[in-house]
Amino acid sequence: MQKPKQDRLGQILLQNKIINEEQLAEALEKQQASGKSLGRVLVELGMVSEGALTAILAQQIGMKYVDLGNFQVDISAASTVDAETARKYTLIPISYDNGKLVVAMADPTNIFALDDIRIMSGMEVEPVVSTKDDILSAINRYCHSGESMDLGEVAEVTTEGEEESEESAADDAPIVKYVNLLISEATEERASDVHIEPMENDVRIRYRIDGVLHEIRRSPKKLHPGVVARIKVMADMNIAEKRLPQDGRTAMDVRGRPIDLRVASLPTIHGEKIVLRILDKSSSLMSLEELGFNPQAMELYRKSFVKPYGTILVTGPTGSGKTTTLYATLNVLNTIEKNIITVEDPVEYRLPLINQVQVHYKAGLTFAAALRSILRCDPDIVMIGEIRDPESAQIAIESALTGHLVLSTLHTNDAPSALTRLLEMGIEPFLIASAVDCVSAQRLARRLCERCKEPYQPDLQYLENIGFPLDDGVETLYRPVGCPACNNTGFKGRIGLFEVLAVSEQIERLVARNAPHVEIAEQAKAEGMQTLREDGFMKVKQGITSLEEVLRVIM
């Protein structure tokens, strides 16, 4: 009895010109050999997307299909069902319609699920069809495993506990749930930082997503003491000290994903501001190819780090992904034959086979002190988290000259500036010329959302004014629009912009005679170095990011 249904599905796909006769014949042949459903075979062969197939199947049974990736879910509707029930039945309430609760389901024929949702919500249910992956993604985003709670409940508990110690307030269940909710929500939203900021009358919660801060909510001011105390207890900080800045660290699991949290407190006029830096260990280690190097820059950079000695500097402002680039480089170099030692403040990610040293200033373990010690430990490769002072710069340069490969970061605006920055630190010009092999400057630009970016024809005069290359004629560029998939920002994820300067003989001579930054930059461009701006414009042409985004991070 199965054959006629499969034939009907095949015919519907043919009528809608989703597949052709040859593809259907191939799929039917594989379906008979594997015993799987025709729909599953078509998805596995890449002939039909799961969304298109689900829409067709919904049409077959006379139901409406909803693409959750482009649908604005009503948060109040989603909160009528807890995450456990939603995952159990693979469904999520998405809106209200004429007094009915609209529920997106992977299997709308499951009458037990419909009955349970009807009882839980106290409303009539109108099922619609969506893909399993989209539903699970929406559950992760809008449902919080029973953690969702009334903020009034937290404020009420905080008020009642005003006479109690801060330790007991920090352990109170509603406060614990609220802090866990903030962290899990931030992790699901791909936030890198959570800012908890006391204002005059309330508390502002902001997440940094793709390098830009977004206000998520305002909370009652009464929550603030309990939330701060809870976070300080988690990070092993002194909850009694409110007048001085503090730093701490903790680790936790968010839905099975291990994350590290770096915590910083800062006294402000309205109370202590808390910043949580989220380090998602499950998604931290990217390959060099994923970072965004163009082929020319990648070739120059690779030639430098495969050498047995020399210094490689990665430069850029705070938050530009320098450490990520160094970790990706170490991942390539990390073999059992090499002794790799890193000195970091702090150690952001744990890497197997690598000896990582955490700087401890109070104990006297500074970058310079650690470097002097590790050079006696027979290293092949040394990674220094940051060159901060003349002493650590001197040791790093001398290490490269004595046969070690040294990788480090430096805060400069572009690649040529790194060489003159070392000169300002008092390093002899001839030492810099001999030791530094490559400098890579970088920035992070937001990627355009693939679901909603739109093409447009730019103004040629404007492009000419900003120096956009017009040699090949102006192709269509893309700009952000905004959709539910990207939180209506128009961007999702980030891409690196890179400027790689390989220190040639000519540049060595310029550095040795203490040439100015401008002269070094001109020589590097003459030798083919692509600037950050040029790399950004190339990615704009490729439709990866927008023109305004490149100008925002480069200007």
Side-chain angles (χ1 to χ4, degrees):
M1 297 297 293
Q2 189 72 6
K3 184 77 172 174
K5 182 181 177 183
Q6 290 173 344
D7 284 345
R8 283 201 302 275
L9 175 60
Q11 290 305 316
I12 291 172
L13 292 171
L14 286 173
Q15 288 166 10
N16 287 275
K17 297 183 179 179
I18 294 173
I19 60 173
N20 56 39
E21 295 278 1
E22 292 79 10
Q23 290 174 315
L24 178 59
E26 181 187 345
L28 285 170
E29 185 179 339
K30 185 167 182 180
Q31 184 261 333
Q32 289 173 355
S34 65
K36 297 178 182 177
S37 68
L38 178 60
R40 179 51 49 196
V41 170
L42 287 164
V43 171
E44 288 177 357
L45 291 173
M47 296 176 180
V48 180
S49 70
E50 191 168 353
L53 180 65
T54 305
I56 291 295
L57 293 173
Q59 180 185 332
Q60 275 191 285
I61 59 176
M63 296 195 73
K64 181 182 176 184
Y65 168 74
V66 173
D67 179 5
L68 287 182
N70 289 309
F71 187 87
Q72 187 68 55
V73 174
D74 187 327
I75 297 176
S76 63
S79 65
T80 58
V81 174
D82 62 82
E84 286 74 17
T85 303
R87 288 194 179 89
K88 177 182 175 182
Y89 294 123
T90 318
L91 56 79
I92 183 169
I94 57 173
S95 65
Y96 300 100
D97 185 20
N98 294 325
K100 293 183 178 180
L101 183 65
V102 181
V103 181
M105 306 177 68
D107 178 12
T109 61
N110 189 335
I111 57 172
F112 299 106
L114 292 170
D115 285 344
D116 279 2
I117 301 305
R118 194 176 291 115
I119 293 167
M120 290 175 70
S121 65
M123 300 178 67
E124 285 299 310
V125 175
E126 180 184 333
V128 296
V129 183
S130 190
T131 66
K132 181 179 179 181
D133 287 347
D134 281 354
I135 291 173
L136 291 176
S137 177
I139 290 171
N140 288 337
R141 184 170 175 187
Y142 297 107
C143 301
H144 293 287
S145 304
E147 293 168 359
S148 57
M149 57 195 305
D150 183 5
L151 292 181
E153 175 192 350
V154 186
E156 183 181 335
V157 172
T158 306
T159 306
E160 290 174 358
E162 279 177 347
E163 302 300 321
E164 301 177 12
S165 67
E166 291 193 353
E167 288 91 337
S168 61
D171 292 332
D172 197 85
I175 290 291
V176 172
K177 284 183 180 179
Y178 182 66
V179 172
N180 289 344
L181 173 62
L182 287 181
I183 295 169
S184 63
E185 185 180 67
T187 305
E188 294 300 334
E189 295 287 349
R190 302 175 295 105
S192 60
D193 302 87
V194 178
H195 292 246
I196 301 169
E197 302 168 313
M199 301 287 108
E200 186 174 0
N201 301 311
D202 56 14
V203 180
R204 181 172 65 183
I205 309 294
R206 293 193 291 172
Y207 296 164
R208 187 177 293 280
I209 302 171
D210 294 333
V212 177
L213 280 169
H214 300 271
E215 183 172 322
I216 302 301
R217 63 169 62 87
R218 295 277 180 137
S219 301
K221 189 70 180 279
K222 293 176 182 177
L223 263 69
H224 186 252
V227 170
V228 171
R230 170 60 187 165
I231 292 171
K232 283 185 170 183
V233 168
M234 289 170 62
D236 197 23
M237 296 159 69
N238 182 359
I239 66 171
E241 180 56 75
K242 301 178 181 180
R243 297 168 299 175
L244 296 174
Q246 294 186 66
D247 295 305
R249 184 171 188 152
T250 187
M252 61 188 296
D253 276 359
V254 176
R255 299 203 175 98
R257 290 162 59 184
I259 64 167
D260 278 348
L261 293 172
R262 278 164 47 192
V263 183
S265 71
L266 182 70
T268 71
I269 57 172
H270 297 301
E272 285 183 280
K273 168 174 174 157
I274 298 287
V275 178
L276 306 175
R277 165 64 58 90
I278 299 174
L279 304 169
D280 187 350
K281 293 191 280 190
S282 64
S283 62
S284 61
L285 294 180
M286 301 174 70
S287 68
L288 284 170
E289 289 72 23
E290 292 173 315
L291 295 178
F293 279 98
N294 68 57
Q296 178 189 343
M298 185 74 227
E299 184 62 26
L300 287 173
Y301 187 63
R302 190 178 293 278
K303 280 181 180 176
S304 298
F305 70 69
V306 295
K307 292 180 180 177
Y309 55 86
T311 304
I312 297 174
L313 298 174
V314 179
T315 77
T318 302
S320 60
K322 300 186 297 297
T323 304
T324 303
T325 300
L326 287 183
Y327 278 133
T329 308
L330 287 180
N331 242 10
V332 179
L333 298 170
N334 192 7
T335 63
I336 199 69
E337 295 85 13
K338 292 191 177 78
N339 178 21
I340 303 176
I341 305 179
T342 74
V343 187
E344 304 170 64
D345 180 27
V347 175
E348 293 193 4
Y349 300 110
R350 272 66 170 175
L351 299 174
L353 300 180
I354 291 180
N355 308 283
Q356 296 176 273
V357 178
Q358 167 80 52
V359 169
H360 196 304
Y361 289 103
K362 288 181 181 177
L365 184 60
T366 62
F367 275 107
L371 280 171
R372 280 194 297 269
S373 298
I374 65 176
L375 290 177
R376 295 192 289 269
C377 295
D378 185 33
D380 296 299
I381 299 168
V382 178
M383 194 269 267
I384 307 168
E386 182 184 344
I387 292 178
R388 296 185 177 179
D389 53 68
E391 190 178 5
S392 57
Q394 187 74 37
I395 298 171
I397 294 295
E398 289 173 358
S399 303
L401 291 172
T402 52
H404 303 92
L405 180 63
V406 179
L407 294 85
S408 187
T409 68
L410 200 62
H411 286 285
T412 63
N413 289 328
D414 57 16
S417 299
L419 300 172
T420 52
R421 177 82 181 97
L422 291 174
L423 287 169
E424 290 167 8
M425 283 184 166
I427 310 299
E428 292 293 339
F430 68 90
L431 291 178
I432 300 170
S434 303
V436 179
D437 197 66
C438 175
V439 183
S440 173
Q442 65 182 72
R443 299 288 189 280
L444 287 177
R446 292 179 292 172
R447 286 179 181 267
L448 286 168
C449 174
E450 291 296 330
R451 284 181 180 265
C452 66
K453 68 179 183 182
E454 70 171 12
Y456 74 102
Q457 296 299 321
D459 178 17
L460 293 180
Q461 185 60 50
Y462 174 67
L463 294 183
E464 192 174 335
N465 290 343
I466 63 172
F468 193 89
L470 301 172
D471 307 337
D472 310 331
V474 180
E475 301 147 10
T476 301
L477 303 184
Y478 290 84
R479 60 188 170 199
V481 176
C483 68
C486 59
N487 286 334
N488 293 311
T489 62
F491 298 96
K492 192 168 185 179
R494 288 191 284 180
I495 186 77
L497 311 181
F498 295 91
E499 172 180 290
V500 178
L501 182 155
V503 180
S504 64
E505 289 183 15
Q506 290 80 4
I507 291 176
E508 276 187 29
R509 292 193 190 101
L510 290 175
V511 175
R513 67 174 175 84
N514 211 347
H517 157 263
V518 175
E519 202 172 329
I520 296 172
E522 286 175 356
Q523 178 60 37
K525 289 176 191 173
E527 293 176 4
M529 180 188 79
Q530 269 195 323
T531 64
L532 285 165
R533 197 182 182 89
E534 289 166 348
D535 189 40
F537 287 158
M538 182 187 295
K539 290 179 170 70
V540 170
K541 282 188 171 185
Q542 294 168 348
I544 297 172
T545 188
S546 71
L547 193 57
E548 290 71 24
E549 177 66 9
V550 168
L551 296 176
R552 180 183 73 85
V553 298
I554 300 296
M555 294 294 281

